[in-house]
Structure formats: C-alpha cells, structure tokens
Amino acid sequence: MIRVVVAEEMCLLRGALCAALSNEEDIEVVAEVTGVDEVSAAVRRHRPDVVLVDLAPDEPQPVEVVAGIVTATPGTAVLALGRQWSQTTVGELLAAGARGMVGTDASLAALVAAVRDVAGGARVIDATAAVSALSPPCSPLTRREAEVLRAAAGGLPVKEIARRLFLAHGTVRNHLSASMRKTGARNRMEAVWRARREGWI
C-alpha cells in the first residue's frame, strides 16, 4: 500500500485529489493538510511513501519546502504539483530532492501514475516542466531592468546601484518600479525572487 500525504490549500482541489487517490486499491491517503506550513509535521507523524505538495505561484520558498520534507523523512518521495514551471525552479526543486513534478492541468490518471512511479523510486517530470527546463522563458524585462534587478538582489541601496551601473538615482527607481509592475511584485526583493523563479535574471 502506498501511503500519501496531500498538501493543498484549496479545499475543493484537495478534496478531489484525496478522493481520486483513495479510489485506487494500492493507495491510501493518510493525511491531508491545507498548506506547506503543516507539511513537515504531517510527514514526521505519518511517515508516508509520497507527499503530494502544491507549490502555489506565490509560495516564496518552494525549494525550502521540498528540502524540509526530504530532510525530515529521507525515505519519502516528494511529488510537486505546480501551475507553472520555470527553468530555474525545475533545476532547484530537483536539486532539493523532489522526485517528481506534475502540472495542475495533468489528468487524474497521469497524477495517479506519477504517485506510483515516484513511490517506486522513479523520477517523474511532466511535459510542461520538461519543456520549461529545456527552454529559457521569454522575459518581459528589458536588459537594463534585468541589470538593475540583479544589482538589487544583493540588497544594495538605490544610490549604490546607480553608482555601479552609472545611472541616475531616478532612473534606477524607475527601472525598479517597472520590474515590480512586470513581475507583479509588491517590493523589489519580491521582484527579484519572482524574476529568478522565472529564469529572467
């Protein structure tokens, strides 16, 4: 019997995932949790064979989530569920110990097969994630915006970024504002994180 913990914050989707997996004769859902904060405790308590964890787009530390599960129970396979994959995220999740990645648009049959495969020791990467890993995404950032954002990643103040890139302070602020708008971020460090996640910087 394959023991599974399901981590999904959306109640409707979580219920559907649990019902679909529980209908399989060789799969048992031993716990369901609403978010990544509860995953580690559930994994330590139940020692599942597989953790199916939804890494939402706004989850700030998907790699740390996966690494935490792998560290807590090295024998547990992590199957990441995601809405979109970037080249950087795919590589980092694999390096953190994820056994598989499946898109939220995958069929239930494909998801069930992925659970069985990772439980058996195989690595599963669906087509969307594989394409993302092989094809660099098209960035909405201009070359200069990307340069400013890379400089901001080190925590440098605007004045220092301007000095290093030979730009006016106002120009740096404008580039940072444009980067935040294009990445949908609330501040420049979130913009850095989102741009890195998408492989834009």
Side-chain angles (χ1 to χ4, degrees), residues 150-165:
R150 273 193 290 271
L156 297 175
V158 170
K159 184 186 242 183
E160 181 60 20
I161 295 173
R163 189 186 68 77
R164 289 193 181 192
L165 298 179

Side-chain angles (χ1 to χ4, degrees), residues 55 78-82 85 89-91 93-94 98-103 114 118 123-127 129:
L55 299 176
V78 178
L79 180 59
L81 192 63
W85 306 105
T89 302
V90 170
L93 288 175
L94 291 175
R99 191 83 56 80
M101 280 165 270
V102 176
V118 297
R123 179 166 281 178
V124 177
I125 302 177
D126 76 2

Side-chain angles (χ1 to χ4, degrees), residues 81-143:
L81 192 63
R83 292 161 182 76
Q84 61 184 28
W85 306 105
S86 72
Q87 190 177 35
T88 303
T89 302
V90 170
E92 289 181 345
L93 288 175
L94 291 175
R99 191 83 56 80
M101 280 165 270
V102 176
T104 51
D105 58 348
S107 68
L108 286 174
L111 178 64
V112 170
V115 168
R116 290 192 178 109
D117 287 344
V118 297
R123 179 166 281 178
V124 177
I125 302 177
D126 76 2
T128 303
V131 168
S132 296
L134 296 172
S135 307
C138 182
S139 173
L141 302 174
T142 66
R143 180 183 60 79

Side-chain angles (χ1 to χ4, degrees), residues 26-197:
D26 59 338
I27 298 175
E28 177 188 6
V29 176
V30 295
E32 54 179 282
V33 296
T34 59
V36 295
D37 296 337
E38 304 170 51
V39 174
S40 293
V43 168
R44 284 193 296 269
R45 186 181 312 119
H46 297 282
R47 301 282 170 176
D49 301 299
V50 178
V51 175
L52 178 61
V53 58
D54 185 356
L55 299 176
D58 56 351
E59 169 57 46
Q61 298 173 317
V63 176
E64 285 79 357
V65 170
V66 171
I69 297 169
V70 173
T71 300
T73 52
T76 296
V78 178
L79 180 59
L81 192 63
R83 292 161 182 76
Q84 61 184 28
W85 306 105
S86 72
Q87 190 177 35
T88 303
T89 302
V90 170
E92 289 181 345
L93 288 175
L94 291 175
R99 191 83 56 80
M101 280 165 270
V102 176
T104 51
D105 58 348
S107 68
L108 286 174
L111 178 64
V112 170
V115 168
R116 290 192 178 109
D117 287 344
V118 297
R123 179 166 281 178
V124 177
I125 302 177
D126 76 2
T128 303
V131 168
S132 296
L134 296 172
S135 307
C138 182
S139 173
L141 302 174
T142 66
R143 180 183 60 79
R144 191 55 105 175
E145 287 165 355
E147 286 176 352
V148 169
L149 212 50
R150 273 193 290 271
L156 297 175
V158 170
K159 184 186 242 183
E160 181 60 20
I161 295 173
R163 189 186 68 77
R164 289 193 181 192
L165 298 179
F166 305 102
L167 296 171
H169 297 173
T171 302
V172 170
R173 287 194 190 94
N174 289 341
H175 285 317
L176 288 172
S177 294
S179 298
M180 287 186 284
R181 186 180 68 255
K182 290 178 179 180
T183 58
R186 290 163 292 189
N187 55 58
R188 67 178 182 168
M189 292 318 291
E190 185 180 349
V192 167
W193 170 75
R194 288 177 181 267
R196 279 181 169 169
R197 183 190 66 182

